[in-house]
Amino acid sequence: MAKYVLENCFAVLAFLLAMKTKARTTTMSGEVIRCKAAVAREAGKPLVIEEVEVAPPQKMEVRLKILFTSLCHTDVYFWEAKGQNPLFPRILGHEAGGIVESVGEGVTELKPGDKVLPVFTGECGECRHCKSEDSNMCDLLRINTDRGVMINDGKTRFSKDGQPIYHFLGTSTFSEYTVVHSGCVAKINPDAPLDKVCVLSCGISTGMGATLNVAKPKKGMSVAIFGLGAVGLAAAEGARIAGASRIIGIDLNASRANEAKKFGVTEFVNPKDHDKPIQEVIAAMTDGGVDRSVECTGNVKAMISAFECVHDGWGVAVLVGVPNKDDEFKTLPINFLNERTLKGTFFGNYKPRTDIPGVVEKYMKKELEVEKFITHHVGFSEINKAFDYMLKGESLRCIIQMDA
Ligand SMILES: NC(=O)c1ccc[n+]([C@@H]2O[C@H](COP(=O)([O-])OP(=O)(O)OC[C@H]3O[C@@H](n4cnc5c(N)ncnc54)[C@H](O)[C@@H]3O)[C@@H](O)[C@H]2O)c1
Ligand SMILES: *[C@@H]1O[C@H](CO)[C@@H](O)[C@H](O)[C@H]1NC(C)=O
Ligand SMILES: [Zn+2]
Ligand SMILES: [Zn+2]
């Protein structure tokens, strides 16, 4: 009897809660949600906050309520669409944290209310890449910068007045609600503060993983980091954690030198201060070259320098920056014959679903600090300010609060 009463109480409570939610906005699963999104309508023009419709999640998809998002330089490249293919109107954004609102058919590992980080590359769990310990390049869900639709039906889940609005990197987090493939969602510790750990959904994990998982410096090695934005500074943090003896930061902006000290950078080099190619300057500083280098600029000249500045015999260079689509990497083959290695990585080789919950745990256990990467905060209505901060080089990461 007591059990019966209790169950009824819950049923009534659930009903009342559902009614309340419905009265406020339409957030019932299976229905279209109307919400605010920042739409990129034209290349390089300010995003426009508009009311859009977000369709329910389909097979293997989930709909997320985004609470915090931040801006990564990759968003800016595709918004400018100078060196990348233009695709508009589009909802950008890929570094974020949120809560599962509803799940589509076949989704068993996520449920409404789960705290999650969406990721721009996915993990289906079944392909050769997902089964390989060495790869995070899932056959089904790997990063695809030109695709603006969901893979289930080749259509968008966003629309306005019946007109489609394209997705970006399968995440489109500059919207109060978004639909993401469930394989691109990392379920994290429910106690993790999303306004902090949202930066682990791209930049910080990418930089740290590029060093720890790909460059893999041994204790006492020297590491050069090209580009001291959030990704590069996270790569420096990885070098510090690995016990590097020297961490040489390279950036065209002299003011980045001071900031970089907080991230373990021991020496700073500005290519503008030298007449020689920067790889020669670094070789002279390090008796023939650094042991490891990590490139985090997106500039192809810096990529070539990052490769050519590693020591022959054992040096390893890792490319992280996203180049323009027509950029070509040129170097002399002898640089390889002399036993230098060139690698590249997406998302620091982390598998989003398998590995990212553990990276969040590192933050929870205070082994990893993310606060120092967060330099600015804005409300969603002022999202264009976050673009200004990044374009002027003022910010590392600017947190955008969706309900402000
Ligand atoms: N591979 C991946 O998975 C992945 C993930 C996230 C970001 N990225 C890329 O990483 C790069 C860095 O992202 P971010 O958000 O830190 O950007 P950011 O703009 O904050 O930082 C880039 C830094 O590089 C410096 N820089 C530019 N050109 C340079 C040059 N020629 N030599 C030396 N320094 C130079 C800038 O002054 C700036 O400080 C971008 O290209 C971004 O698209 C790649
Ligand atoms: C250089 O970096 C400083 C400190 O991060 C920043 O305030 C400034 O705007 C940057 N300048 C350029 C040209 O990127
Ligand atoms: Zn990114
Ligand atoms: Zn896969």
Side-chain angles (χ1 to χ4, degrees):
M1 180 64 189
K3 185 165 172 272
Y4 175 78
V5 171
L6 206 67
E7 268 173 10
N8 260 335
C9 274
F10 277 128
V12 168
L13 202 68
F15 177 75
L16 287 176
L17 270 174
M19 291 303 288
K20 188 164 172 255
T21 321
K22 195 170 182 189
R24 241 186 306 129
T25 47
T26 37
T27 60
M28 307 277 287
S29 61
E31 285 177 18
V32 168
I33 290 179
R34 280 170 202 284
C35 69
K36 277 187 286 177
V39 183
R41 293 235 158 236
E42 269 182 79
K45 296 275 165 66
L47 306 186
V48 188
I49 305 272
E50 299 177 14
E51 192 176 272
V52 299
E53 298 196 333
V54 187
Q58 297 187 3
K59 196 172 172 188
M60 296 314 283
E61 295 172 354
V62 295
R63 189 161 55 187
L64 308 180
K65 180 177 170 66
I66 299 295
L67 298 180
F68 295 92
T69 184
S70 51
L71 183 65
C72 165
H73 217 133
T74 311
D75 298 304
V76 177
Y77 297 146
F78 283 83
W79 167 72
E80 290 177 327
K82 287 181 189 155
Q84 309 295 347
N85 289 330
L87 183 63
F88 298 98
R90 200 172 201 186
I91 296 175
L92 299 166
H94 64 282
E95 202 173 274
I99 307 282
V100 176
E101 176 269 341
S102 61
V103 305
E105 184 195 328
V107 177
T108 52
E109 288 177 23
L110 293 164
K111 56 180 190 315
D114 284 348
K115 204 176 254 192
V116 295
L117 303 183
V119 180
F120 65 86
T121 191
E123 187 182 353
C124 77
E126 273 153 36
C127 71
R128 288 169 307 161
H129 290 273
C130 288
K131 290 201 166 130
S132 156
E133 264 183 35
D134 300 320
S135 172
N136 68 347
M137 296 295 292
C138 174
D139 276 331
L140 184 69
L141 301 169
R142 69 170 63 177
I143 182 172
N144 181 333
T145 56
D146 291 332
R147 185 172 56 219
V149 296
M150 298 303 287
I151 53 177
N152 188 50
D153 63 350
K155 298 208 171 98
T156 68
R157 302 290 168 270
F158 296 113
S159 61
K160 185 177 164 79
D161 305 326
Q163 297 299 311
I165 300 172
Y166 294 110
H167 295 248
F168 177 61
L169 299 184
T171 49
S172 292
T173 59
F174 296 163
S175 175
E176 290 177 309
Y177 288 87
T178 187
V179 176
V180 178
H181 193 285
S182 57
C184 300
V185 172
K187 179 173 165 175
I188 61 164
N189 186 333
D191 296 331
L194 285 178
D195 60 334
K196 308 286 191 311
V197 299
C198 63
V199 296
L200 297 174
S201 124
C202 175
I204 311 310
S205 298
T206 294
M208 203 173 65
T211 305
L212 292 175
N213 302 336
V214 190
K216 294 186 182 161
K218 294 177 187 145
K219 205 169 169 9
M221 280 190 163
S222 57
V223 181
I225 310 285
F226 285 73
L228 301 175
V231 176
L233 291 172
E237 187 76 354
R240 190 187 58 75
I241 293 168
S245 59
R246 292 174 75 181
I247 305 175
I248 303 171
I250 299 119
D251 203 296
L252 295 169
N253 182 346
S255 330
R256 286 277 153 109
N258 278 333
E259 212 154 29
K261 281 189 197 133
K262 280 189 261 168
F263 297 82
V265 171
T266 57
E267 291 145 88
F268 179 79
V269 182
N270 189 337
K272 285 183 186 162
D273 298 341
H274 301 271
D275 302 328
K276 286 190 289 185
I278 199 67
Q279 48 272 50
E280 287 176 26
V281 175
I282 292 170
M285 286 168 70
T286 54
D287 194 16
V290 282
D291 301 312
R292 299 288 185 263
S293 75
V294 186
E295 178 281 329
C296 309
T297 69
N299 179 292
V300 71
K301 289 201 182 110
M303 294 180 191
I304 294 166
S305 303
F307 173 58
E308 294 183 351
C309 81
V310 298
H311 206 285
D312 56 9
W314 59 77
V316 178
V318 178
L319 307 186
V320 179
V322 174
N324 286 346
K325 66 177 178 3
D326 300 321
D327 281 340
E328 286 183 354
F329 186 100
K330 275 173 98 173
T331 191
L332 298 175
I334 193 73
N335 292 327
F336 292 97
L337 299 184
N338 287 341
E339 301 177 6
R340 293 182 182 87
T341 303
L342 178 63
K343 296 183 172 191
T345 176
F346 274 115
F347 201 46
N349 276 30
Y350 286 118
K351 290 181 191 275
R353 284 161 58 199
T354 306
D355 299 331
I356 291 310
V359 176
V360 170
E361 283 319 293
K362 272 199 199 319
Y363 167 77
M364 298 302 281
K365 284 188 246 151
K366 299 196 170 11
E367 291 165 22
L368 166 67
E369 204 188 305
V370 302
E371 285 83 353
K372 62 187 176 189
F373 291 95
I374 300 171
T375 52
H376 295 71
H377 291 85
V378 295
F380 189 38
S381 58
E382 298 186 310
I383 188 168
N384 289 299
K385 279 193 184 168
F387 281 71
D388 291 341
Y389 296 141
M390 180 155 276
L391 289 168
K392 289 187 191 141
E394 284 176 24
S395 61
L396 291 176
R397 279 299 184 261
C398 176
I399 304 292
I400 299 155
Q401 184 176 343
M402 299 307 287
D403 66 3

